[in-house]
Amino acid sequence: MRKFITFLAVLSFMAAGCQNTSPAGGVLPGASSSQSYDPCELLQSSDFASYYPGEEYKQTKHDTEANAVGQKICFYDIGEDMKFVQLSIVSDADMPEKTKAGGQNSEKIYTQGKDLLEDTQTVTGLGDEAYYGGSGLGLGKGLTVLVKGKGVHFNVVIGLGFGNDDQAKHLEIESAIAKKVLERL
């Protein structure tokens, strides 16, 4: 929890910082072209149904409005016993102008989030950069993927049930879901 509070504080301070525009008012070179995405269009039940055979699932969170850092979430509860699938996406297009004016974008937030974590595993073959932060719900957990050209980073995190901390299985499923998300961006 302390790391999460630190992360939010860093974001707040960064939002008050540097401009991401040129003196003439244009976007600086290297800025991405981004669009707004609906996380529940990017994460479909067919992406995970085969991993939870016979389980009932229910979409319990569907953000259509982004928060202060341009984040939207889609969450599915699956059966009982802490089984779930969540997609969180941060898009430059969904960031408030105040946040952008503070120098933030999806790539910087990705990097800042990763830098706050102690143990991450680099994952290759997904987006421009990706890391796995372990299983469970919490800051940095799951698989986080950066897609610079789209101006987004997203996080896929799943639950396989209480006590199931099979890291390889979590990463396998999260990677398969991430590939589907990447196809839809």
Side-chain angles (χ1 to χ4, degrees), residues 5-76:
I5 292 169
T6 302
F7 178 67
L8 290 177
V10 168
L11 286 179
S12 297
F13 289 123
M14 298 297 274
C18 307
Q19 295 279 337
N20 194 26
T21 56
S22 71
V27 177
L28 291 174
S32 66
S33 63
S34 182
Q35 72 179 53
S36 180
Y37 293 96
D38 181 329
C40 291
E41 288 179 9
L42 296 173
L43 174 65
Q44 299 172 6
S45 60
S46 60
D47 299 337
F48 59 80
S50 65
Y51 300 108
Y52 300 95
E55 297 279 358
E56 297 285 326
Y57 58 86
K58 179 180 172 185
Q59 186 183 89
T60 57
K61 184 171 179 65
H62 181 183
D63 291 342
T64 56
E65 297 293 323
N67 66 15
V69 295
Q71 177 191 46
K72 296 178 185 175
I73 296 173
C74 182
F75 188 92
Y76 287 88

Side-chain angles (χ1 to χ4, degrees), residues 20 90 92 95 99 103-110 153:
N20 194 26
V90 174
D92 294 347
M95 284 186 186
T99 303
Q104 288 300 306
N105 62 34
S106 60
E107 183 176 356
K108 286 183 182 178
I109 293 172
Y110 169 91
H153 81 260

